[in-house]
Amino acid sequence: MSPTPVLLDCDPGIDDALAIAYLVAEHRAGRIDLTGVVCTAGNVGLEDTVVNACAWLDLAGSPELPVAAGAPGPIAVPHVLTPETHGPRGAGYAELTTTTTTRAVDPRDGARLWVDAARAHPGELLGIVTGPSSTLAHALALDPALPRLLGGLVVMGGTFRGHPGNTTPVSEWNVDVDPEAADRVCRAWEDARTADPAVPTPLWCGLNLTERAVWTPERSEWLLEASASPLARHLTEALRFYFEFHDSVGEGYLAQVHDPFVAWLALHPEAVVSGPANVRVECAGEHTRGMTVADVRGHRRRVDNARIATDVRVPGGPDAVLDEICAAIVSLAGRPG
């Protein structure tokens, strides 16, 4: 079988950097075909997300592939950046400005790259979104057939089953920063699956599961001991900032690395425990804006437009998954570009 074509839509961001490195490792091992990277404004502004994505791809030894600038901010509200979480440029203490790149940014808009990639691989392309859904929402406006063209969609976003938010009491950051975009994604798949139940149901990976993916200083030490590569050094410097942020908000000196965990889940669907739901995003509530509202009992009498990830069928759970991700990143040092 040929490798699965994958498109990553990200907003690097420290945990996005780990996701990029992991996906490049899987690409170079021949298990996926990383067909492109879309950069969406999120943790930092659009210019920084593009620069960071190119730098992390270079450090990981990625072959040339399209890197496109997507949405510069949310659909309906001002863009809120997170320098306290990911650093002023989105890379923590890593000095990515010292990484020179000859990687050219694709002239296409990120929404166009979504559509072009899906049409180049109809029924096969796996889309992974680890940032706000802003660019994907624009892509759906550009081509409403996108849900029928994709082979699958995996989204890091939201929080479910009563698990608290990390931005407001009920909202997760990727959704909270642009709830209108996330809700447009939900509505698009509801409409598509109402017309054709064979359309693949997106997998939503929320904080109820991803907060269990905890990277520790010990894992960073293992990464450095196993690989003296510039990639390993830059990742550990970025993660050091992330440890400090989590410590400052009372989580401890560790890092919840949502994005590489979700990338792994996307590539291992057989290991995901999930349940069907109709998901919509609250865009108007004074206290509930950004809340992902999952109807798991059919109260709305609408088609299921999501599967909600709740666990992994892996001995050792998320810790074992992160060990596998770390090992994949280590392997990059031993492979030719």
Side-chain angles (χ1 to χ4, degrees):
M1 293 179 62
S2 57
T4 301
V6 173
L7 180 73
L8 174 66
D9 188 333
C10 58
D11 64 331
I14 293 167
D15 52 340
D16 301 82
L18 288 164
I20 289 171
Y22 169 66
L23 291 175
V24 171
E26 294 296 275
H27 174 92
R28 286 173 55 180
R31 286 186 282 270
I32 65 168
D33 175 17
L34 186 58
T35 62
V37 174
V38 172
C39 304
T40 295
N43 293 311
V44 289
L46 186 59
E47 182 178 353
D48 282 328
T49 65
V50 173
V51 168
N52 290 351
C54 288
W56 291 118
L57 286 166
D58 284 349
L59 286 164
S62 168
E64 286 297 322
L65 51 81
V67 178
I75 290 173
V77 293
H79 189 191
V80 178
L81 305 178
T82 59
E84 73 285 355
T85 307
H86 294 269
R89 304 296 295 274
Y93 292 123
E95 294 290 342
L96 295 187
T97 54
T98 63
T99 301
T100 58
T101 181
T102 58
R103 194 177 294 269
V105 178
D106 196 281
R108 289 171 291 182
D109 177 81
R112 171 53 64 183
L113 181 55
W114 263 104
V115 172
D116 288 352
R119 291 201 168 274
H121 304 278
E124 298 179 347
L125 185 71
L126 173 61
I128 303 174
V129 180
T130 61
S133 297
S134 313
T135 307
L136 178 54
H138 289 300
L140 289 163
L142 188 63
D143 190 347
L146 194 56
R148 298 193 300 275
L149 290 169
L150 288 175
L153 176 69
V154 178
V155 179
M156 192 282 119
T159 188
F160 303 96
R161 306 182 79 181
H163 191 88
N166 62 358
T167 304
T168 76
V170 296
S171 68
E172 174 275 332
W173 192 85
N174 281 343
V175 171
D176 189 78
V177 75
D178 195 351
E180 283 78 12
D183 194 54
R184 289 186 189 185
V185 171
C186 293
R187 284 186 285 133
W189 259 265
E190 180 177 320
D191 291 345
R193 284 184 43 76
T194 298
D196 181 2
V199 171
T201 311
L203 178 69
W204 282 74
C205 306
L207 300 179
N208 51 293
L209 178 57
T210 65
E211 283 192 347
R212 292 169 54 194
V214 176
W215 193 284
T216 61
E218 290 76 19
R219 189 169 274 112
S220 285
E221 291 170 9
W222 174 40
L223 177 61
L224 276 179
E225 289 171 0
S227 172
S229 67
L231 172 64
R233 293 197 301 272
H234 280 79
L235 284 174
T236 53
E237 284 299 287
L239 284 159
R240 184 162 58 87
F241 189 97
Y242 216 27
F243 293 153
E244 292 177 2
F245 163 72
H246 283 83
D247 197 36
S248 73
V249 295
E251 299 285 355
Y253 197 74
L254 48 79
Q256 295 164 351
V257 288
H258 316 271
D259 297 345
F261 183 55
V262 168
W264 187 94
L265 294 174
L267 303 191
H268 298 82
E270 75 288 347
V272 182
V273 180
S274 66
N278 180 276
V279 173
R280 291 293 301 273
V281 178
E282 176 59 61
C283 296
E286 179 182 357
H287 303 292
T288 56
R289 178 174 165 81
M291 183 178 185
T292 40
V293 182
D295 179 7
V296 298
R297 292 186 172 181
H299 292 297
R300 298 190 185 111
R301 300 187 184 279
R302 295 181 179 274
V303 67
D304 294 326
N305 62 352
R307 289 183 298 118
I308 297 172
T310 57
D311 207 347
V312 287
R313 296 187 186 95
V314 178
D319 278 347
V321 171
L322 292 187
D323 285 345
E324 185 175 323
I325 290 168
C326 192
I329 294 171
V330 166
S331 74
L332 288 170
R335 296 191 186 128

